[in-house]
Amino acid sequence: MKHFYIIFVMSLFFVFFCISIFNQSTKISDSYKLPNFKTENITDLFPKNIDEINNLTKLALEEAQNSLKFIYDIKDQEYNFKNIMLLFDRTTANFSYKFSTLYVLTMVHPDQEMREAAQKSVMELQKFSIDQFSQNQKLYQILKNYNESRVASSEKIADFEEYFIKETLDSYKKAGLEKDDQTRELIKSITQELGVLALDFDKNINSDNRFIKVSKEELKGVDDEFVESLKKDQDFYILGVDYPTVFKIFEECEIESTRKALWYEFNLRGYPANKEVLNKIIVLRDRLAKFLGFDSYAHMDIADQMAKTPTNVINFLNDISDKCKLKVSQEIEALKKDLPISIDLVENKFKPWDFKFVVNYYNKKYMMLDENLISQYFPTDYTLKALLDIYEQFFGLKFERSNVQNLWSEDVQVLKVYKDNKFIGTLLLDLWPRDNKYPHACQVGIVSSVRDKNYDIISPAVVLVIANFTKPQKDKPALLRRKEVTTFFHECGHAIHSLLGSTELANQSGTSVKGDFVEMPSQMLEEWMTDKEVLKSISKHYITGEKLPDNIIESIQKNQNALIASHLLGQVAYSLISLNLFDKGESKNIDLIWREAHDLLSEVTYGCSDYGYCSFGHLTNYGSKYYGYLWSKIYAKDLFNKIKEHGLFNREIGELYAQKILAKGGSQDPNELLKDFLSRETSSEAFFKDCGL
Ligand SMILES: [Zn+2]
């Protein structure tokens, strides 16, 4: 459930082939303009052929060069916030949305040539961005000089503007702009290489379309509708590694060899290419951190986060895993009391491909939680609309379906979004799996929402939610499984943050917050899925029209924490992997780090996959900060408890939350935002209490 944003702190040593496109007639006022896409013409944002991709790339480069030239030409005596910092903000924002647009095409476009052309452009823009923005010494010097003259002249600026200057200069310092020329060249070169490797790593996962073929008998236990929806090769059924297929087989297929074969393939995504890519990333990140004066890449990555140091993160993770230890044994023992006939244990532990099958069996038999049955109450069209209705009520929003066509796939749904009857942005939903599509779920803020001083939107947000939900099957509409609904709540949480996080500076908009805070709004909205009134309002049986019955809702609530310790330990394990891979030292035994972290789960399953790290996509984008999910979860639970006291449909508390947290984006320290909303310091009490730990 990744959230994507562009990080400008990248660098390169790259002689950009400047095609001398500076046009003297361009006016400086053009450089301050931001994109203003209305829903009706949202297709204009996305290139429709390779020429348009190339034109957009060229435009991004031209505009950025023009704007940078304006910044360079400003005389010292004319330095002020608007001339320097605001122009810098607009310049990066205009570049950034074009980059995001092209990046989106690499993730979702069904046509290979389009994806490849977009990938080429993304690489070109990334190189430019490193060279001309994040590692640009001349630019940094101007920003720094401006700040010194500002302090000397006592220019009056707002707090958020001062925060922006501080954060920007800090990130430049962190990126090595205070180092000597020789060191900076090395840093540039490494960062450039890292940028390319990250794109490779992601591409190797996204484009891995492996599958297995099985006979009808080998699908025993799986319902006919699902089987009939599978692609076939003569008499064999094709099982891909997309999420709906994988989870369906893991949970329901009674034939162990099928579960095992698919589990192996699923965990081989990105292998072998990504093993080598990851090794290179580890070496270069470590080298980069050393040049920048940090003990390790993890230290560098966490230094400007809420957690501040890897030690703080490790203490935090240890605290959680200590509290989980007793509970995890109880959870696993409960499962072992009555095993399905076909299941045998190894050294009294579950084989990893059996675990979900056993949980599903147990939930059905003892918890009244039959996920197939429950999904019948969540027909996609109804549930998505009802879920958006909740957001409408809670946040004062309105989502209006638009008939815009001609995006990259017919699957894409387009929604026009209003707040208090004013248009604020466009939400795009691309929810079903396709070949070569980004395989996970994520939100991409393509165009950042920017407002003026009077709170009027001057650049409406364009937001995309990507997911891979269960498709409609023969004679059945698309039905969402419970965890898919939760995923939708999660990604919409990011989307709402992007839509309501309108700030005066594009660089502070919406989800441009600390990496260990960004998963707070998304995980908080997941909590809505535990509320009776919410479950009633988003459910409607696809045949009978009935709401989810009370007894099932009670089971959901009772069972909410049934496997919480196992789940949290899994999150701790992944957090440790992302920390330890980027701990001090160039040479790492990736396999050992992977296996040692999985030892935390030794009560749960016997062994782990061999090369699962090759498809651990967060390693590029989140770096050492996978712990951010757990870190943000503490705040999510704390805030949720306060909101729940007022009611999950309560417009007033919704507005307060929107104003005090979401609308601030990254314009303030998140600790201050939390304190302001809670009227007290944050506390982990709600988290541990709710988890029963
Ligand atoms: Zn997320």
Side-chain angles (χ1 to χ4, degrees):
M1 292 163 215
K2 285 168 81 172
H3 137 91
F4 269 91
Y5 52 98
I6 298 178
I7 302 155
F8 272 103
V9 188
M10 306 185 283
S11 80
L12 92 162
F13 176 51
F14 175 74
V15 184
F16 183 70
F17 178 63
C18 181
I19 35 177
S20 186
I21 39 185
F22 182 65
N23 177 352
Q24 288 295 340
S25 68
T26 308
K27 298 194 297 285
I28 191 166
S29 56
D30 291 340
S31 295
Y32 282 95
K33 280 185 192 148
L34 286 168
N36 189 351
F37 285 96
K38 302 276 184 278
T39 308
E40 294 72 24
N41 43 32
I42 204 69
T43 51
D44 296 348
L45 176 60
F46 299 97
K48 281 159 226 43
N49 53 49
I50 292 174
D51 280 347
E52 288 185 16
I53 287 180
N54 294 335
N55 289 342
L56 184 66
T57 312
K58 195 171 158 224
L59 182 68
L61 298 171
E62 273 182 25
E63 283 181 354
Q65 282 171 328
N66 287 347
S67 298
L68 283 169
K69 177 100 174 44
F70 287 128
I71 296 178
Y72 299 153
D73 287 348
I74 290 164
K75 297 184 181 65
D76 296 7
Q77 61 271 28
E78 289 167 3
Y79 279 7
N80 59 35
F81 188 87
K82 184 180 176 232
N83 287 349
I84 304 291
M85 294 310 292
L86 188 66
L87 188 52
F88 170 74
D89 179 68
R90 286 354 189 198
T91 303
T92 49
N94 274 311
F95 184 84
S96 173
Y97 91 81
K98 294 182 188 78
F99 181 97
S100 299
T101 303
L102 291 161
Y103 195 84
V104 160
L105 296 185
T106 71
M107 299 169 87
V108 295
H109 207 286
D111 183 84
Q112 190 180 345
E113 285 183 5
M114 285 291 282
R115 282 198 310 277
E116 282 171 2
Q119 177 90 2
K120 202 169 142 258
S121 290
V122 162
M123 287 173 79
E124 192 178 350
L125 294 186
Q126 182 172 270
K127 278 175 183 163
F128 178 89
S129 152
I130 293 167
D131 198 29
Q132 299 297 321
F133 291 126
S134 63
Q135 286 292 327
N136 183 338
Q137 179 67 17
K138 188 174 175 182
L139 178 63
Y140 170 59
Q141 208 52 52
I142 291 173
L143 302 184
K144 207 173 125 182
N145 290 347
Y146 156 66
N147 192 41
E148 281 161 13
S149 74
R150 173 186 76 87
V151 174
S153 71
S154 312
E155 180 191 358
K156 287 244 175 317
I157 59 170
D159 289 348
F160 74 87
E161 292 169 331
E162 197 163 339
Y163 187 67
F164 178 49
I165 297 171
K166 185 184 173 302
E167 291 274 295
T168 305
L169 293 179
D170 283 354
S171 68
Y172 271 113
K173 253 180 257 163
K174 196 181 140 191
L177 275 288
E178 291 284 350
K179 304 281 176 194
D180 60 75
D181 291 355
Q182 200 190 353
T183 312
R184 272 193 292 107
E185 288 309 324
L186 288 165
I187 290 168
K188 253 192 196 181
S189 154
I190 293 174
T191 314
Q192 177 55 25
E193 261 186 87
L194 278 169
V196 175
L197 288 168
L199 291 174
D200 279 351
F201 193 84
D202 295 344
K203 196 182 94 189
N204 291 338
I205 302 171
N206 295 357
S207 60
D208 197 327
N209 293 318
R210 56 183 73 227
F211 58 86
I212 61 169
K213 288 183 198 173
V214 291
S215 65
K216 174 106 186 191
E217 295 71 46
E218 289 171 306
L219 288 166
K220 192 178 166 210
V222 182
D223 55 89
D224 287 345
E225 285 106 335
F226 184 83
V227 173
E228 291 313 314
S229 74
L230 291 168
K231 282 186 196 155
K232 281 184 84 173
D233 180 9
Q234 295 181 352
D235 288 340
F236 290 95
Y237 293 87
I238 294 174
L239 300 177
V241 288
D242 57 280
Y243 281 24
T245 305
V246 164
F247 286 111
K248 188 83 178 173
I249 297 298
F250 288 172
E251 287 172 5
E252 293 173 19
C253 182
E254 291 174 17
I255 308 298
E256 184 187 345
S257 58
T258 306
R259 293 196 304 272
K260 185 177 172 180
L262 191 62
W263 181 84
Y264 266 103
E265 290 304 320
F266 182 68
N267 285 295
L268 278 175
R269 288 171 305 142
Y271 179 80
N274 273 354
K275 182 166 185 175
E276 200 189 325
V277 176
L278 183 56
N279 259 317
K280 286 183 186 165
I281 290 177
I282 289 169
V283 171
L284 290 177
R285 282 185 173 175
D286 188 67
R287 219 170 275 174
L288 179 68
K290 270 187 218 145
F291 281 129
L292 291 169
F294 290 91
D295 282 354
S296 71
Y297 182 80
H299 282 84
M300 177 182 133
D301 205 22
I302 297 170
D304 55 2
Q305 301 298 308
M306 294 179 87
K308 302 268 192 283
T309 65
T311 309
N312 289 341
V313 175
I314 295 208
N315 291 339
F316 166 74
L317 296 174
N318 285 344
D319 187 29
I320 294 179
S321 60
D322 285 348
K323 289 192 165 84
C324 286
K325 271 180 190 143
L326 178 66
K327 195 156 196 264
V328 79
S329 306
Q330 295 164 351
E331 289 172 7
I332 301 306
E333 285 314 309
L335 293 176
K336 283 182 192 162
K337 274 187 188 146
D338 172 19
L339 292 175
I341 300 165
S342 58
I343 297 295
D344 52 345
L345 303 177
V346 185
E347 294 180 13
N348 202 28
K349 290 166 190 169
F350 295 107
K351 293 173 213 160
W353 48 87
D354 287 344
F355 187 67
K356 286 191 189 306
F357 183 74
V358 174
V359 171
N360 191 47
Y361 169 85
Y362 180 85
N363 283 348
K364 244 162 111 171
K365 190 165 172 183
Y366 296 101
M367 297 289 172
M368 277 193 57
L369 290 176
D370 178 341
E371 296 298 343
N372 272 342
L373 176 75
I374 295 173
S375 74
Q376 295 179 7
Y377 290 89
F378 295 132
T380 308
D381 286 349
Y382 179 83
T383 299
L384 296 191
K385 187 177 176 311
L387 193 149
L388 294 174
D389 286 347
I390 294 176
Y391 291 152
E392 290 191 346
Q393 204 173 328
F394 189 67
F395 291 113
L397 294 168
K398 196 174 137 221
F399 296 92
E400 190 181 277
R401 207 158 272 277
S402 159
N403 293 324
V404 171
Q405 299 283 321
N406 292 331
L407 286 160
W408 54 88
S409 161
E410 284 179 358
D411 289 347
V412 185
Q413 303 173 54
V414 182
L415 300 166
K416 189 170 181 178
V417 190
Y418 300 85
K419 168 107 198 303
D420 301 327
N421 296 320
K422 279 188 191 161
F423 170 66
I424 60 163
T426 304
L427 174 60
L428 306 170
L429 306 174
D430 185 355
L431 304 179
W432 287 283
R434 286 187 303 274
D435 284 347
N436 299 304
K437 181 182 159 183
Y438 173 76
H440 208 65
C442 74
Q443 184 261 180
V444 190
I446 302 173
V447 178
S448 300
S449 179
V450 180
R451 64 169 174 84
D452 62 16
K453 283 190 174 15
N454 303 317
Y455 290 84
D456 286 325
I457 304 278
I458 50 175
S459 181
V462 180
V463 181
L464 166 66
V465 167
I466 303 176
N468 289 280
F469 294 149
T470 308
K471 279 185 149 181
Q473 291 158 12
K474 197 183 162 199
D475 305 329
K476 256 192 198 173
L479 301 174
L480 289 170
R481 294 173 83 76
R482 199 155 54 99
K483 78 170 152 295
E484 293 176 330
V485 185
T486 307
T487 298
F488 194 68
F489 264 106
H490 179 104
E491 299 307 339
C492 277
H494 288 307
I496 300 277
H497 199 180
S498 296
L499 286 158
L500 292 180
S502 198
T503 48
E504 287 184 55
L505 295 169
N507 278 280
Q508 295 180 333
S509 177
T511 54
S512 314
V513 295
K514 304 282 179 198
D516 47 12
F517 184 66
V518 75
E519 298 294 338
M520 190 284 288
S522 51
Q523 293 188 103
M524 195 187 77
L525 283 171
E526 284 181 26
E527 299 289 326
W528 261 243
M529 270 298 279
T530 58
D531 181 77
K532 183 173 179 177
E533 204 183 335
V534 171
L535 285 165
K536 286 277 181 197
S537 81
I538 62 172
S539 60
K540 185 181 178 187
H541 193 280
Y542 83 102
I543 297 171
T544 65
E546 281 169 30
K547 295 286 177 189
L548 200 60
D550 286 353
N551 57 351
I552 295 185
I553 292 179
E554 278 157 27
S555 299
I556 289 174
Q557 290 175 328
K558 220 173 95 191
N559 199 37
Q560 195 181 320
N561 289 325
L563 285 169
I564 189 75
S566 315
H567 168 74
L568 291 175
L569 282 180
Q571 290 291 76
V572 171
Y574 276 84
S575 303
L576 287 173
I577 291 161
S578 93
L579 269 182
N580 294 339
L581 285 177
F582 306 115
D583 193 7
K584 203 171 184 173
E586 286 188 7
S587 168
K588 297 274 164 48
N589 186 335
I590 304 177
D591 296 290
L592 189 67
I593 289 171
W594 177 254
R595 279 197 302 272
E596 277 182 353
H598 278 86
D599 283 349
L600 272 176
L601 297 163
S602 61
E603 292 253 7
V604 184
T605 48
Y606 179 81
C608 61
S609 67
D610 288 333
Y611 304 110
Y613 49 79
C614 288
S615 54
F616 188 5
H618 291 79
L619 290 178
T620 51
N621 203 248
Y622 283 51
S624 298
K625 301 191 292 292
Y626 190 84
Y627 76 90
Y629 281 96
L630 287 169
W631 193 274
S632 313
K633 186 91 177 166
I634 303 279
Y635 306 132
K637 286 274 190 187
D638 205 4
L639 265 63
F640 177 73
N641 274 13
K642 166 157 178 164
I643 289 172
K644 191 153 188 184
E645 285 168 19
H646 299 261
L648 301 183
F649 294 83
N650 183 316
R651 175 82 192 87
E652 273 168 40
I653 191 77
E655 188 60 28
L656 194 71
Y657 168 67
Q659 289 305 329
K660 293 199 175 226
I661 306 270
L662 302 181
K664 302 283 183 185
S667 65
Q668 231 176 302
D669 182 330
N671 285 305
E672 290 172 16
L673 302 184
L674 291 165
K675 203 172 160 186
D676 187 31
F677 178 73
L678 292 165
S679 308
R680 60 165 168 80
E681 297 291 338
T682 55
S683 154
S684 57
E685 202 188 316
F687 172 80
F688 287 116
K689 197 169 157 229
D690 282 9
C691 294
L693 294 171

